[in-house]
Amino acid sequence: MKILSQRCATLEYAVTTASSAAITLDSVNIGVLQEFSDCLFLLVGVERSDLGVARQAAKVINRIANKTGATRIVINGLSQMADPYEHCDGPTAQRVLAVLAELLSARGWDAHPMPFGWNKEWTVHVLDGEWEQRVTHLSASNNQSEAVTTPTVRHRPGGIMTGLGPQNDHPAGSGPSGPVRPSVQSPDRVVRT
């Protein structure tokens, strides 16, 4: 399991289109803006053997959320985060994400799983600091959590990162219409990565 956790002052998202693995949603929920503040936003790549590490993931996420002072946790499954050779099928990924949300709720967190299998459009205001942006890689033999130093997502303090969130049935690094390119908006410009 690979997790990109970002402590956000604000997070807004709306589901846009369904993938072939999408859960059933009432049509009144499509395109409706969901808003969160003071949250920990998780992009989770589920791999084949990850049901066995869900408990460890909840423990690590709990620590990060406590260190950052988040008031709730928002979970988004993102297949691009997983090792391309270790991808699991949609039902398995959905089950692992549901177990992770249940384990976080059992620890007292208000855990909000984003609708599985749906493409989403989101805007986040990511905070800066030692624990605010972390990449965690968990497996049966390896558990690591470290500060984010990835070139795929750029953040400027005071900036806003936006992106389209393709879901679990697209090849790694692509969405329904091609490569995923998160961007950062500062008050005067948008930077695409």
Side-chain angles (χ1 to χ4, degrees):
M1 181 180 299
K2 291 182 184 162
I3 305 166
L4 172 61
S5 57
Q6 299 175 314
R7 174 65 166 83
C8 302
T10 58
L11 161 64
E12 299 174 339
Y13 82 88
V15 295
T16 55
T17 57
S19 74
S20 61
I23 62 167
T24 303
L25 277 185
D26 190 335
S27 62
V28 298
N29 294 321
I30 299 169
V32 174
L33 191 64
Q34 301 289 322
E35 300 177 80
F36 303 89
S37 59
D38 298 320
C39 64
L40 186 65
F41 181 37
L42 306 176
L43 297 173
V44 182
V46 180
E47 298 170 349
R48 279 189 277 245
S49 61
D50 283 348
L51 192 54
V53 298
R55 195 167 300 284
Q56 179 64 23
K59 183 178 176 181
V60 170
I61 293 164
N62 179 68
R63 181 168 188 220
I64 293 169
N66 280 324
K67 289 276 192 182
T68 63
T71 59
R72 69 186 317 185
I73 299 170
V74 180
I75 304 166
N76 187 39
L78 192 66
S79 64
Q80 291 80 2
M81 291 293 298
D83 182 325
Y85 299 105
E86 294 295 323
H87 273 224
C88 63
D89 58 60
T92 300
Q94 185 177 1
R95 176 155 164 58
V96 170
L97 293 169
V99 167
L100 181 59
E102 289 169 12
L103 290 168
L104 290 167
S105 294
R107 288 177 171 265
W109 290 102
D110 180 5
H112 173 83
M114 290 177 151
F116 182 84
W118 284 82
N119 295 303
K120 303 160 190 83
E121 185 173 302
W122 67 71
T123 303
V124 298
H125 180 187
V126 178
L127 299 176
D128 213 12
E130 180 183 1
W131 285 88
E132 276 64 11
Q133 299 177 69
R134 299 193 72 81
V135 173
T136 302
H137 182 213
L138 300 168
S139 68
S141 62
N142 179 25
N143 297 328
Q144 297 177 353
S145 178
E146 57 193 46
V148 173
T149 56
T150 175
T152 58
V153 177
R154 293 184 185 167
H155 169 69
R156 291 188 183 151
I160 300 172
M161 183 184 79
T162 62
L164 293 178
Q167 287 297 305
N168 297 304
D169 64 342
H170 303 294
S174 70
S177 60
V180 176
R181 290 185 176 87
S183 63
V184 177
Q185 292 181 349
S186 65
D188 57 343
R189 69 181 188 188
V190 175
V191 179
R192 299 230 181 259
T193 56

